[in-house]
Amino acid sequence: RRAIAASFAAPTPQSAFWMLFLLIPLAAFFSAVCLALAVLARSMKEGQYYMTPLYMICLPLVFLTLSPEIELNLFNSLLPITGVALLLRALIMGNYDTAAQFFLPVLVPTLIYAAVALRWAIDQFQREDVLFREAERFNLVAWLRHLVRDREPTPGAGSALFCFASMLSLAWFSMRLGGMTSPLKGMVLGHLLFILGPPVVLSFLLTSDPRQTLRLRWPKGSELILAAALAVALNPIVREVAFHVEKLFPISQGVQSILAELGKQIPNLGVGLLIFAVMPAITEEVAFRGYILTGLQRSYKTGTAIVFSALLFGIFHVLQSLFVQLFGATILGLAIGLIAVRSRSLWPGVLFHLINNSLALLTVEATRYPELKPLSSWLLRDQTDAVYRPAVLVVSALISLVLLVMIWRSGDRTRLGGPDSLNDLSG
């Protein structure tokens, strides 16, 4: 009752002061983003349409705070908007110890996000193609007709972000669908309809070359071999990162129950590999290293596009309630993005993704078989959590570094122009 009464009571002067202080960098962040979008718009009505993807991204970040299981911790404090909302909730509820503990971990990232957004707005004002274009009355029907009629071979950054926002919004329907039917059916339909659907539909609707947009070129055999080898070499490091992140940020009881229910519905290992390895490898790669990376790469330097798409890949897993996957998914996104750019093909990344997910599942399964215990005890220092010995981690890091250098040098430099140039990769 005391907590309920506190939620309706007016904040104390102390809470009000710190709430206003915290809202300054948040307001700067949103102001800079809106300013950058306003530069792109020819009219107020057109600017409102540009704001829709921003709303679609922000709403799930706010809705996360409505769940009683979501509490303010070091991980959640790093999330844009979510960390501020949770800290404001703590101040309103009078949890001053929690608010004091996480005030700086929330404030500093928010200041960084505001600085990045302001830098983006400044870059927009420095673009001549934006500043000196002619103003005209905005007509939604004419604009949509223009998008379909005057399609370019590949999408731009705006289209890539719209695709991500669409996937993000549809993911919430997938979660509700899983609750109404079963977690397994919800996961399958979510991947096929809500992750694979938007990039495929937008590729055929808004681009004239879906094959180039989705990077469907068949790669060289050497590119597939390097991607597969890197997936095997990186797996111990990815597992180590996931182990430590899970210790710092334990999976919530709600997610654990969903994962347990999913495990019960998987009849055998073959079906498990199909659901957890094959399906995500195809759907997520088409979305993130296909449509989204291609769109970002057209508007930004290739290095920036790879980092940005990897962050979106990690954030997408966070907003699916798998918080522990943020760091691991982002690291993998960087590696797969480099593979996709250097090979100019989606399929090496699909193979990398498939092997990585398969190894994660097989490593856990191998610890359950007594006949494999000598091998697993030789490789793993902890049978329960399936984490590797330090010597294996050192060898894994060295081999991964060598393979990354080989992938960096493997691209045909005579074919790399524009955003794929070696200079852009360093940007």
Side-chain angles (χ1 to χ4, degrees):
R1 292 180 180 179
R2 185 178 302 175
I4 297 175
S7 62
F8 289 98
T12 64
Q14 182 183 4
S15 296
F17 172 79
W18 290 113
M19 289 167 63
L20 291 174
F21 183 81
L22 188 65
L23 289 176
I24 293 175
L26 183 64
F29 168 72
F30 276 108
S31 298
V33 172
C34 293
L35 184 61
L37 293 175
V39 175
L40 300 175
R42 294 182 176 89
S43 65
M44 185 181 69
K45 182 180 291 186
E46 183 178 358
Q48 291 173 346
Y49 289 112
Y50 289 162
M51 292 296 294
T52 302
L54 179 63
Y55 297 147
M56 296 171 67
I57 294 176
C58 293
L59 285 177
L61 292 171
V62 176
F63 289 157
L64 281 175
T65 64
L66 300 179
S67 173
E69 296 183 353
I70 305 300
E71 298 180 354
L72 185 59
N73 54 38
L74 183 59
F75 181 84
N76 293 334
S77 64
L78 301 177
L79 296 179
I81 303 174
T82 301
V84 176
L86 289 173
L87 184 55
L88 290 175
R89 187 177 71 178
L91 288 170
I92 293 173
M93 300 293 294
N95 299 327
Y96 298 120
D97 292 338
T98 302
Q101 181 182 1
F102 294 102
F103 189 83
L104 285 179
V106 171
L107 178 63
V108 173
T110 305
L111 290 172
I112 295 175
Y113 301 145
V116 172
L118 183 60
R119 179 69 250 181
W120 179 40
I122 294 173
D123 290 341
Q124 293 296 97
F125 274 96
Q126 293 176 345
R127 290 176 53 186
E128 294 183 359
D129 59 328
V130 173
L131 292 179
F132 296 104
R133 65 179 180 177
E134 295 182 0
E136 59 185 40
R137 292 188 61 184
F138 180 74
N139 184 282
L140 178 61
V141 177
W143 180 63
L144 293 175
R145 187 184 299 118
H146 161 71
L147 287 179
V148 177
R149 181 187 59 194
D150 303 324
R151 294 177 296 176
E152 298 190 16
T154 58
S159 189
L161 294 178
F162 176 77
C163 178
F164 176 74
S166 301
M167 293 164 50
L168 204 60
S169 301
L170 292 172
W172 288 93
F173 291 98
S174 173
M175 294 169 64
R176 291 181 61 87
L177 184 63
M180 291 184 295
T181 56
S182 70
L184 182 60
K185 292 181 180 179
M187 181 178 179
V188 173
L189 292 177
H191 271 272
L192 296 180
L193 297 180
F194 303 148
I195 298 180
L196 184 64
V200 172
V201 171
L202 292 177
S203 295
F204 284 94
L205 185 65
L206 302 181
T207 70
S208 60
D209 193 348
R211 185 173 181 270
Q212 180 183 352
T213 297
L214 300 180
R215 304 177 188 268
L216 299 181
R217 183 189 75 89
W218 188 252
K220 299 178 181 178
S222 59
E223 294 168 339
L224 292 172
I225 293 174
L226 285 174
L230 182 61
V232 175
L234 269 180
N235 185 260
I237 298 177
V238 173
R239 181 59 202 152
E240 186 74 15
V241 172
F243 170 73
H244 290 291
V245 171
E246 190 172 343
K247 290 293 185 182
L248 292 173
F249 314 111
I251 301 176
S252 64
Q253 293 295 329
V255 175
Q256 288 183 5
S257 61
I258 294 176
L259 294 177
E261 183 64 25
L262 269 174
K264 295 178 182 178
Q265 296 180 6
I266 302 297
N268 52 61
L269 181 59
V271 176
L273 290 172
L274 180 65
I275 298 298
F276 293 107
V278 178
M279 183 178 66
I282 296 175
T283 59
E284 294 178 2
E285 289 308 308
V286 167
F288 287 95
R289 257 63 63 178
Y291 194 91
I292 292 177
L293 179 57
T294 300
L296 295 174
Q297 193 177 354
R298 178 181 161 190
S299 302
Y300 302 104
K301 293 182 178 180
T302 300
T304 303
I306 292 175
V307 173
F308 197 5
S309 64
L311 288 174
L312 294 179
F313 186 56
I315 292 172
F316 186 78
H317 286 79
V318 169
L319 297 178
Q320 285 183 309
S321 298
L322 300 177
F323 297 97
V324 297
Q325 293 191 17
L326 171 63
F327 300 99
T330 302
I331 293 173
L332 293 176
L334 292 172
I336 304 177
L338 177 62
I339 292 172
V341 166
R342 301 305 288 159
S343 66
R344 297 171 58 243
S345 174
L346 185 77
W347 304 115
V350 171
L351 181 61
F352 180 104
H353 202 145
L354 171 63
I355 293 176
N356 177 78
N357 289 15
S358 299
L359 287 175
L361 185 61
L362 291 173
T363 302
V364 176
E365 288 292 325
T367 60
R368 302 176 182 177
Y369 294 93
E371 57 272 17
L372 297 177
K373 188 174 182 180
L375 178 61
S376 60
S377 61
W378 182 69
L379 293 174
L380 305 176
R381 70 175 187 269
D382 191 325
Q383 299 286 327
T384 303
D385 295 310
V387 287
Y388 292 84
R389 295 185 179 277
V392 178
L393 294 175
V394 172
V395 174
S396 171
L398 293 175
I399 295 177
S400 298
L401 182 60
V402 172
L403 291 173
L404 286 171
V405 173
M406 294 176 64
I407 292 172
W408 176 275
R409 298 177 176 177
S410 65
D412 187 352
R413 302 186 184 187
T414 61
R415 296 182 306 176
L416 297 180
D420 282 337
S421 66
L422 293 178
N423 293 333
D424 285 341
L425 273 172
S426 61

